[in-house]
Amino acid sequence: MQSVQKLVGGWNSTTWLVGVSSGDEPAQHVAKLADSEDGDAFRSGLRIASAAASRGFPSGAPIPTVDGCLAVDLPEGVLALLQYVPGRSPSAVSDDDMRRVGVTLARAHLAVGAESAGVSEQHRWPWTWADVCLQELPMASEIRDAAARALDEARDVTARISPRVGVVHGDPGLEAFRLRDESPHEDGLIDWAAAMQAPLLYDLASFAVMTRETPESLTSCLEGYRHVAPDISGELRYLDVFIRLRWMCHAIYFASRLERRIIRGAASEAENRERLAEAYVGLTKPVDPILRPA
């Protein structure tokens, strides 16, 4: 017996929870459909999730088809069947949850390491894809210039201080973490479609941006991250540089949605424009002192 339930949300794809009963062993999986134009990044994320899972990290890895493919092309897009990772989303106002998020993100970075072979060439640092997008996507000149400055600054800092570079999740929002209260060592991180090679600071900066309404979340997250990977401490003084880099990615993302007229994710064209304007503010205003770790 099978059951299919469409899951809510999803800015970048459409997902369904798939239940399968085989004898006395019921199982759950997640079917995920990405746009064909995003197929390269989607498949790259599937490869990274597979690598993480092979090292024991709960990543929502793809279940290969009978002929070994991680995804299949359909007229509607690119479809993959993923392992279901049980657990709950963390609470941004729980210090314990935020520490577990930091621990989980550090474990994820250790699991994938420098798995750059799974990342497409354009998504390896220093991100040639970003240059192309900033040249070709329609956006106001002041936004384009601010985004280009953020990219140049991140590249300059990386060349100067040589931070740890590896495969990053790329979009570590709260909904991507799966916390298992009965076994915290099995906390996981799913949805790797935005995975790229970059300084590992980028994921922490992304978390800071995505939890900006509760900025104190970052303090506990960093505490958990440093417990597993203390080497990050010396790099955190440059976190603001990568926060601006994250806002550059926001600008590119919402400019692309406007160009492609994408309104998935309970958004509208007006909201996409508002988010693009928000990205410009993030690129140009000083970083909140609370987001500047000592």
Side-chain angles (χ1 to χ4, degrees):
M1 180 175 294
Q2 297 183 358
S3 63
V4 178
Q5 175 187 351
K6 187 174 182 180
L7 299 176
V8 298
W11 286 81
N12 304 308
S13 60
T14 304
T15 55
W16 298 265
L17 184 64
V18 180
V20 179
S21 296
S22 177
D24 296 328
E25 297 292 332
Q28 288 183 313
H29 305 294
V30 174
K32 185 168 186 175
L33 179 70
D35 292 340
S36 296
E37 291 185 42
D38 300 324
D40 180 57
F42 183 50
R43 284 187 167 88
S44 178
L46 296 177
R47 293 192 293 270
I48 297 303
S50 292
S54 72
R55 296 172 184 129
F57 182 82
S59 61
I63 299 170
T65 64
V66 292
D67 54 356
C69 295
L70 300 183
V72 294
D73 291 306
L74 300 174
E76 297 83 2
V78 183
L79 180 69
L81 186 65
L82 312 177
Q83 295 174 1
Y84 175 76
V85 178
R88 62 174 176 86
S89 296
S91 168
V93 298
S94 167
D95 290 341
D96 182 61
D97 278 9
M98 293 302 94
R99 281 190 289 271
R100 286 172 63 181
V101 161
V103 167
T104 303
L105 184 58
R107 288 174 44 238
H109 286 165
L110 291 174
V112 296
E115 190 71 35
S116 58
V119 178
S120 61
E121 183 67 33
Q122 64 171 337
H123 291 122
R124 298 178 190 176
W125 187 255
W127 292 0
T128 57
W129 67 270
D131 295 300
V132 174
C133 290
L134 290 176
Q135 291 168 6
E136 297 181 354
L137 282 174
M139 65 177 75
S141 59
E142 63 269 20
I143 301 177
R144 189 188 315 279
D145 291 345
R149 287 194 299 270
L151 179 60
D152 288 342
E153 183 183 24
R155 287 169 170 168
D156 289 345
V157 164
T158 303
R160 189 169 72 252
I161 71 166
S162 300
R164 294 185 305 152
V165 174
V167 175
V168 297
H169 178 273
D171 200 29
L174 294 179
E175 66 284 351
F177 290 90
R178 305 292 287 169
L179 304 187
R180 299 193 68 181
D181 293 331
E182 69 280 9
S183 49
H185 64 283
E186 296 181 3
D187 290 348
L189 180 60
I190 60 174
D191 293 339
W192 289 78
M196 297 178 284
Q197 185 195 53
L200 300 185
L201 275 174
Y202 177 75
D203 265 351
L204 291 167
S206 295
F207 181 81
V209 169
M210 289 186 283
T211 58
R212 59 192 177 277
E213 294 184 0
T214 54
E216 63 278 5
S217 301
L218 181 63
T219 301
S220 297
C221 174
L222 291 177
E223 182 182 336
Y225 192 98
R226 284 185 292 225
H227 179 73
V228 176
D231 289 349
I232 199 70
S233 297
E235 302 172 9
L236 289 175
R237 71 188 69 178
Y238 301 100
L239 186 64
D240 59 330
V241 172
F242 291 92
I243 286 175
R244 285 188 286 275
L245 184 68
R246 174 66 193 199
W247 282 118
M248 180 215 73
C249 291
H250 271 232
I252 288 174
Y253 178 69
F254 286 102
S256 176
R257 284 175 68 92
L258 284 166
E259 183 187 44
R260 294 161 60 183
R261 299 184 178 181
I262 296 175
I263 59 172
R264 185 194 298 113
S268 63
E269 181 177 345
E271 183 173 354
N272 285 333
R273 293 190 183 281
E274 290 171 5
R275 296 293 186 99
L276 180 57
E278 182 183 40
Y280 177 66
V281 173
L283 283 163
T284 54
K285 75 173 183 179
V287 172
D288 190 323
I290 199 172
L291 300 181
R292 291 177 175 269

